[in-house]
Amino acid sequence: MIVVKVGGAEGINYEAVARDAASLWKEGVRLLLVHGGSAETNKVAEALGHPPRFLTHPGGQVSRLTDRRTLEIFEMVYCGLVNKRLVELLQREGANALGLSGLDGRLLEGRRKTAVKYVEDGKIKIHRGDYTGTVERVNRDLLDLLLGAGYLPVITPPAISYEGEAINTDGDQVAALLASVYQAEALVYLSNVPGLLARYPDEASLVREIPVDRVEDPEYLSLAQGRMKRKVMGAVEAVKGGVKRVVFADARVEDPIRRALAGEGTVVR
């Protein structure tokens, strides 16, 4: 099993990702494809007159403020536009893809956060009424059913809370959890950079490998800023959870998955 997470930033070559995924699939490689859609969501939200807002949390992480209207826009883009674009591209390449969100069949379940802490003007505040949460359970029976019937699952947030509410959740964490559940051979994160960069945005400063037992060393952890820090720590947890290796790699090139599996990018193991 290989789990591939395709980011949602500008510059992703979805056609190349789909060609590569479909080619591997037809060769008999079992795949789960997870995707984001943040850049497209921001555009649609602006166009609909409900521009995105982001919260900076005490630990430095940044997340999307998700009120009910934002959640609806999120579903429109993630479950609709981006998901079906990938399904169409995969079908065009001969892979019988099936798109589904974490809501469908309670594929991804988690706990909705009743309150979210954030920092504003140097003060810690609490935002209530957010539709966000963390995935804790995967409906593996559903995925096994689809895989056994020959479908390539294309998975996207949102997830569903234990109370039956849609919740915005982190796609990177979802991919890591799926990889751990399946004890995947590899977890590949594809984005618009070639991996972890020591001197962002200098792509010549690519960090080739991060040993799991040394991730806390300043030479590694200090390089990962913002969302990348969360990605790196998530990768470490995935490896500790039984995933053989995690690769951060470039989604702008041809054969992005094969290149990642060949070690092009930042490898965590």
Side-chain angles (χ1 to χ4, degrees):
M1 173 65 71
I2 295 170
V3 177
V4 179
K5 162 61 168 48
V6 188
E10 296 280 3
I12 303 295
N13 188 340
Y14 289 106
E15 290 81 3
V17 172
R19 277 194 297 273
D20 206 14
S23 174
L24 288 164
W25 181 258
K26 288 185 285 187
E27 290 173 14
V29 176
R30 291 213 308 168
L31 275 173
L32 294 176
L33 189 60
V34 183
H35 69 81
S38 55
E40 203 72 58
T41 300
N42 293 345
K43 290 179 189 175
V44 173
E46 291 279 1
L48 294 176
H50 193 77
R53 294 172 58 197
F54 296 91
L55 299 176
T56 300
H57 303 287
Q61 299 95 341
V62 177
S63 69
R64 186 185 298 272
L65 191 156
T66 309
D67 57 17
R68 188 69 205 184
R69 179 59 175 152
T70 298
L71 182 65
E72 291 169 354
I73 296 169
F74 182 90
E75 290 174 327
M76 287 168 57
V77 178
Y78 277 64
C79 308
L81 179 62
V82 180
N83 189 266
K84 299 316 166 196
R85 175 192 295 161
L86 273 167
V87 169
E88 177 189 9
L89 290 170
L90 287 161
Q91 292 286 359
R92 189 183 301 168
E93 297 294 333
N96 198 4
L98 188 148
L100 69 168
S101 75
L103 297 168
D104 300 303
R106 304 191 76 90
L107 175 63
L108 304 171
E109 284 188 289
R111 197 173 308 280
R112 180 184 169 189
K113 297 176 182 176
T114 56
V116 180
K117 290 183 180 180
Y118 67 102
V119 179
E120 186 176 79
D121 299 326
K123 298 178 181 178
I124 296 179
K125 300 183 178 181
I126 296 178
H127 173 73
R128 302 185 190 279
D130 220 40
Y131 286 85
T132 59
T134 302
V135 175
E136 298 171 340
R137 293 202 308 224
V138 172
N139 185 349
R140 178 169 176 169
D141 289 343
L142 175 57
L143 288 177
D144 286 344
L145 186 69
L146 295 172
L147 290 164
Y151 296 102
L152 195 170
V154 182
I155 301 164
T156 183
I160 191 163
S161 73
Y162 297 124
E163 293 74 34
E165 301 164 303
I167 49 175
N168 183 2
T169 193
D170 183 62
D172 294 333
Q173 186 256 335
V174 166
L177 181 59
L178 287 166
S180 296
V181 165
Y182 277 93
Q183 298 287 281
E185 177 68 29
L187 167 59
V188 176
Y189 287 108
L190 296 174
S191 67
N192 61 350
V193 291
L196 177 62
L197 305 178
R199 297 180 302 278
Y200 181 85
D202 179 9
E203 296 190 5
S205 67
L206 176 68
V207 177
R208 293 287 179 183
E209 185 168 356
I210 301 177
V212 166
D213 57 354
R214 292 185 57 203
V215 71
E216 299 284 356
D217 291 4
E219 67 179 290
Y220 294 113
L221 197 56
S222 64
L223 302 178
Q225 302 297 321
R227 283 189 58 84
M228 184 55 85
K229 183 174 182 178
R230 183 187 295 178
K231 286 175 182 278
V232 170
M233 296 309 294
V236 169
E237 290 303 311
V239 172
K240 289 180 177 178
V243 180
K244 292 184 175 58
R245 60 192 161 126
V246 180
V247 188
F248 298 102
D250 202 332
R252 301 168 299 176
V253 299
E254 287 297 322
D255 305 319
I257 303 172
R258 291 179 190 272
R259 290 188 183 203
L261 297 174
E264 289 190 27
T266 301
V267 182
V268 182
R269 59 183 160 199

